[in-house]
Amino acid sequence: MDLRKIWRKIVHRRWFPAAVIAVIACLVLAVFTGASGQDSIVSRTLGNALLPAERAITHAAVRAADSYNKYFKYDELAEENEALKQQVADLTAQLDEAQSALSENKELKDMLGVAERNTEFSYEAAEVVGRTLDEWSSALTIDAGSAEGLEQYDCVVTAKGMVGYISELSEHSAQVTTVIDSNMSAGALMTRTGVVGVAEGNYQLMSDGKLQVSYLSKDADIVVGDTVQTSGTGGLFPKGLTIGTVESVQTESDGMSNYAVIAPAVDLSSLTHVYIITEITTTSE
């Protein structure tokens, strides 16, 4: 910044001579008052007359100080601001990691409880690394495959319930067809009443994240909130895996039977970790 240019601009301002006179008068007043040891009529009169000038000079000084801070300390303040922003970002990232770790830890504990209650199952853990959720399909990609002992049609679960089954397999990855996919079909059981049906995906319901249980008689005892589990029929999926809960009961288009709309027990859109049932041990009586 060229201080000489700034000074020349100030000197050529129309108010500059008046400001100089006011400053000189203030100095004279201060000397006169200090010499006399007390205020006189002249000093009081002159002081009152110069009061507006003093205020103007004070205001100008404050503005000058603000301008100085703005031009000479801007970089320092900007740098400090960026440092604070980075600290906030770092703390936010650490908080997110901690919350994720707590969530994963709870999920592991819940899954351990499931494993302890179902000692006939052997599990392999995997992480969800991709997902396809559109109007045509609902699938997840996981980071485990045949090298980790997985096989096609293995059932995929979490501590909350059934996710789906392995439909495609490679050495270190696999595709999971979820419970809401139109290719999904499993024997279903209403745990409250023992009513059986077939849990299956439906194109219309899939867009809403739902599936249905079909082939229910019109007088079947089914109410909203009933829990639906795998029945074990067909031999593909083990019995007792929670599929979801009944949201509504509808009549089929032919009017001869009903179907139940099911909300999955697992939130498929937010899954990060899953478990694959790799082996089922049956005990003979």
Side-chain angles (χ1 to χ4, degrees):
M1 179 180 294
D2 192 337
L3 297 178
R4 288 179 296 180
K5 291 183 177 179
I6 295 176
W7 175 250
R8 284 198 295 269
K9 288 182 179 180
I10 293 175
V11 169
H12 287 89
R13 296 286 186 179
R14 287 182 298 176
W15 49 263
F16 182 75
V20 172
I21 293 172
V23 170
I24 294 173
C26 290
L27 293 174
V28 171
L29 175 62
V31 172
F32 179 80
T33 303
S36 64
Q38 58 182 359
D39 288 345
S40 66
I41 296 175
V42 175
S43 64
R44 287 197 298 270
T45 303
L46 186 57
N48 292 332
L50 293 176
L51 184 59
E54 291 178 4
R55 290 175 177 171
I57 292 170
T58 301
H59 181 67
V62 171
R63 291 187 61 184
D66 290 341
S67 298
Y68 175 84
N69 289 330
K70 178 179 179 181
Y71 287 110
F72 292 96
K73 293 189 176 182
Y74 176 81
D75 292 340
E76 179 183 343
L77 292 173
E79 183 177 348
E80 182 180 354
N81 187 46
E82 288 301 319
L84 290 173
K85 286 182 178 179
Q86 185 60 49
Q87 289 180 18
V88 171
D90 292 342
L91 290 173
T92 301
Q94 292 175 17
L95 179 61
D96 289 342
E97 289 179 4
Q99 290 177 337
S100 177
L102 287 173
S103 178
E104 183 178 349
N105 186 51
K106 182 181 183 304
E107 186 176 340
L108 288 171
K109 287 183 178 179
D110 291 344
M111 194 63 206
L112 179 61
V114 172
E116 290 175 347
R117 293 192 301 271
N118 298 277
T119 56
E120 71 274 20
F121 296 160
S122 296
Y123 298 96
E124 177 69 30
E127 184 176 347
V128 176
V129 295
R131 65 186 75 239
T132 302
L133 297 171
D134 55 36
E135 60 181 330
W136 303 110
S137 64
S138 174
L140 304 173
T141 302
I142 58 176
D143 65 349
S146 58
E148 287 72 37
L150 275 56
E151 296 181 358
Q152 192 172 21
Y153 302 117
D154 279 349
C155 192
V156 182
V157 299
T158 70
K160 293 182 178 180
M162 185 173 174
V163 175
Y165 67 93
I166 293 180
S167 52
E168 295 182 17
L169 194 65
S170 62
E171 187 175 6
H172 293 291
S173 66
Q175 181 168 300
V176 179
T177 295
T178 75
V179 292
I180 65 173
D181 190 277
S182 59
N183 291 316
M184 166 68 187
S185 180
L189 174 72
M190 303 291 174
T191 58
R192 183 178 63 86
T193 59
V195 173
V196 295
V198 176
E200 56 186 1
N202 176 285
Y203 279 120
Q204 284 72 36
L205 293 175
M206 185 170 58
S207 61
D208 294 326
K210 309 291 172 47
L211 69 156
Q212 67 183 48
V213 174
S214 305
Y215 309 110
L216 302 172
S217 64
K218 296 203 65 172
D219 59 352
D221 182 10
I222 302 171
V223 297
V224 173
D226 277 350
T227 301
V228 184
Q229 293 184 343
T230 52
S231 65
T233 58
L236 187 59
F237 306 115
K239 182 179 179 180
L241 301 177
T242 301
I243 299 174
T245 55
V246 175
E247 280 203 344
S248 66
V249 180
Q250 309 289 336
T251 301
E252 294 281 6
S253 57
D254 59 10
M256 303 297 293
S257 59
N258 289 343
Y259 68 93
V261 176
I262 308 299
V266 178
D267 183 0
L268 301 172
S269 64
S270 62
L271 272 182
T272 57
H273 294 81
V274 295
Y275 300 86
I276 302 91
I277 300 176
T278 57
E279 187 177 350
I280 302 175
T281 303
T282 57
T283 57
S284 56
E285 296 287 345

